[in-house]
Amino acid sequence: DADVTQTPRNRITKTGKRIMLECSQTKGHDRMYWYRQDPGLGLRLIYYSFDVKDINKGEISDGYSVSRQAQAKFSLSLESAIPNQTALYFCATSDLLGESTDTQYFGPGTRLTVL
Amino acid sequence: GQNIDQPTEMTATEGAIVQINCTYQTSGFNGLFWYQQHAGEAPTFLSYNVLDGLEEKGRFSSFLSRSKGYSYLLLKELQMKDSASYLCAALDTGRRALTFGSGTRLQVQP
């Protein structure tokens, strides 16, 4: 089973709809991240969380919100989707301790299309 | 903030060696990561350099010079499956977040 999972894997929605993307992990990591990826722009950080009570805005948080329901779950919401939020969205996790400290491990991605 | 630069595309021949460069300009720095990403898939971790010098891992090596704000990823004995995008990412001083470059798309030709 995958360590970092994302649901849904693909979603097509209409402008103005509320959308939630979910991320779950079994790695036991405290830190979780949401990124979007657009062609030619690389990965850009939307929000990140270091524990359930610690949520931080990233580079491009406008139009997005997040919820850290538990150590293992981190959800990204688009309150009112718009076409320029069409992108590939990745969740990632990392830890501060151990051999792989600071290394981020990515989920398989969610391809979101807003019409 | 951080600014990361890497070439957009590179082409190389199967069996050859290729070097992908990355330069960074940061207000704080705590290490440099390289990830591989095949089209439509998740990025996967390749290497992490926090000290100056060369780290070797099989066919892949990564180099860092903190004084020059420069890193490179060296891929030896190229295989067709190495065709992918290679992402350079800098970790900030507080170890809070990564800033990614736009990625270098490598095409390996027979």
Side-chain angles (χ1 to χ4, degrees), chain B residues 4-5 8 33 37 41-42 47 51-53 55 57-58 62-63 68 70 79 84-86 97 101-102 110:
Chain B
I4 314 286
D5 288 311
T8 303
F33 285 84
Q37 185 180 23
E41 297 183 8
S47 69
L51 300 175
D52 285 359
E55 295 273 347
K57 252 191 216 180
S62 57
F63 172 83
K68 295 182 180 177
Y70 169 69
Q79 301 174 9
S85 289
Y86 292 86
S102 299

Side-chain angles (χ1 to χ4, degrees), chain A residues 31 37 56 101-102 104 107, chain B residues 33 35 37 41-42 95-96:
Chain A
R31 299 183 165 197
Q37 188 172 40
N56 305 276
T101 181
D102 293 318
Q104 294 189 16
Chain B
F33 285 84
Y35 282 81
Q37 185 180 23
E41 297 183 8
R95 296 170 64 196
R96 296 180 68 82

Side-chain angles (χ1 to χ4, degrees), chain B residues 32-90:
Chain B
L32 197 292
F33 285 84
W34 284 95
Y35 282 81
Q36 180 191 60
Q37 185 180 23
H38 286 97
E41 297 183 8
T44 56
F45 169 73
L46 288 177
S47 69
Y48 173 47
N49 294 69
V50 63
L51 300 175
D52 285 359
L54 189 68
E55 295 273 347
E56 297 187 74
K57 252 191 216 180
R59 293 190 300 114
F60 292 11
S61 303
S62 57
F63 172 83
L64 176 67
S65 168
R66 295 177 70 121
S67 62
K68 295 182 180 177
Y70 169 69
S71 173
Y72 67 73
L73 181 69
L74 194 71
L75 291 75
K76 303 175 187 176
E77 302 169 14
L78 280 172
Q79 301 174 9
M80 298 300 291
K81 68 178 182 180
D82 296 330
S83 293
S85 289
Y86 292 86
L87 313 179
C88 166

Side-chain angles (χ1 to χ4, degrees), chain A:
Chain A
D1 287 342
D3 294 321
V4 185
T5 57
Q6 293 183 232
T7 55
R9 294 294 313 278
N10 289 282
R11 181 73 185 267
I12 300 173
T13 191
K14 294 182 179 179
T15 298
K17 294 291 187 182
R18 184 178 188 275
I19 298 298
M20 180 180 285
L21 309 182
E22 300 188 347
C23 177
S24 294
Q25 54 114 346
T26 58
K27 298 184 78 68
H29 288 171
D30 286 327
R31 299 183 165 197
M32 298 186 74
Y33 309 80
W34 275 105
Y35 293 89
R36 66 176 280 174
Q37 188 172 40
D38 300 273
L41 291 180
L43 287 161
R44 291 184 292 164
L45 184 62
I46 306 172
Y47 270 95
Y48 59 105
S49 169
F50 287 172
D51 66 38
V52 174
K53 296 182 180 179
D54 182 8
I55 306 287
N56 305 276
K57 291 183 178 180
E59 179 189 350
I60 52 163
S61 59
D62 287 349
Y64 301 95
S65 63
V66 289
S67 172
R68 184 82 184 267
Q69 300 95 324
Q71 188 209 31
K73 295 184 182 296
F74 192 35
S75 300
L76 176 71
S77 293
L78 288 67
E79 297 301 325
S80 179
I82 56 177
N84 77 1
Q85 291 178 312
T86 293
L88 186 54
Y89 289 85
F90 287 104
C91 173
T93 74
S94 73
D95 209 355
L96 260 186
L97 304 173
E99 279 189 18
S100 59
T101 181
D102 293 318
T103 300
Q104 294 189 16
Y105 297 90
F106 287 81
T110 295
R111 187 168 296 281
L112 177 66
T113 302
V114 184
L115 301 176

